[in-house]
Amino acid sequence: MVFQLLSRCSLRPSATGTAAFRAAAPMLDAGLLRQQQRAMCSADQEYAWTEESVEDYWKRRWRKVKRKRARMHHQIDAAHGSTEAFYGLARERLVAQGRLTEEDAECFTRIDKRLAHLQRHPHLLEFYDWKKQFHDEWIQKHFKQKRGI
């Protein structure tokens, strides 16, 4: 309905087009308001929560949260990929300019790969935390010896 009204209106900067759009604007507002009004939100009816509706709400909410998390993870992966690509291009440029040797470029490539791996797996960073490093609790937790045969 909205599309039909808009398609009839001429949006050219002429007097007749502007008048047609002004005439259609109240109809658009009334139609949109009618479409936006929900039955459960109307003042004359009270909505009774049921156990199923609450459960459905939390299912929808959990799907939304998972979708947002997945989108964030995809963005992070894309950022890591583009960062690695730009670092590679910068190393190639430095080698081409003679400011970096091939061996150094390979060494920096290995270092960057290790750092990217640690960024993607933050639980591995725990080993490098100086506050936790080699404490008895940490060693017992991570290097627990199993019984012999």
Side-chain angles (χ1 to χ4, degrees):
M1 176 180 154
V2 174
F3 179 75
Q4 292 171 349
L5 288 173
L6 285 177
S7 63
R8 291 180 195 161
C9 301
S10 172
L11 296 179
R12 283 183 252 128
S14 64
T16 58
T18 310
F21 186 74
R22 284 186 188 145
M27 289 187 290
L28 285 173
D29 289 340
L32 289 175
L33 287 175
R34 243 183 278 116
Q35 290 174 357
Q36 289 177 352
Q37 194 174 36
R38 296 180 181 170
M40 64 181 256
C41 297
S42 62
D44 58 340
Q45 295 177 349
E46 284 194 33
Y47 186 75
W49 293 100
T50 63
E51 193 172 322
E52 293 172 358
S53 65
V54 173
E55 188 176 329
D56 290 342
Y57 165 77
W58 285 111
K59 284 180 183 178
R60 288 191 308 271
R61 175 80 177 130
W62 179 240
R63 274 197 308 256
K64 184 179 178 182
V65 168
K66 285 197 311 187
R67 193 169 41 246
K68 282 186 176 183
R69 284 183 188 165
R71 188 178 312 130
M72 267 191 336
H73 287 294
H74 290 308
Q75 289 173 347
I76 291 169
D77 286 340
H80 274 289
S82 60
T83 302
E84 290 174 6
F86 286 127
Y87 280 3
L89 290 172
R91 278 191 299 273
E92 289 176 11
R93 179 186 281 175
L94 290 173
V95 169
Q97 291 174 351
R99 297 170 66 187
L100 193 66
T101 63
E102 288 285 336
E103 295 82 22
D104 288 340
E106 290 173 7
C107 178
F108 288 134
T109 303
R110 287 192 303 272
I111 291 170
D112 289 341
K113 283 185 180 179
R114 275 190 243 134
L115 287 174
H117 180 73
L118 285 173
Q119 285 177 343
R120 288 185 178 168
H121 304 284
H123 66 277
L124 298 175
L125 285 171
E126 185 181 27
F127 179 76
Y128 298 102
D129 188 4
W130 66 272
K131 293 179 184 175
K132 298 179 184 174
Q133 199 173 30
F134 308 123
H135 285 233
D136 291 333
E137 295 172 14
W138 192 87
I139 291 172
Q140 291 297 324
K141 178 182 173 186
H142 291 282
F143 297 113
K144 189 183 291 184
Q145 291 187 359
K146 298 185 172 114
R147 284 189 168 167
I149 298 176

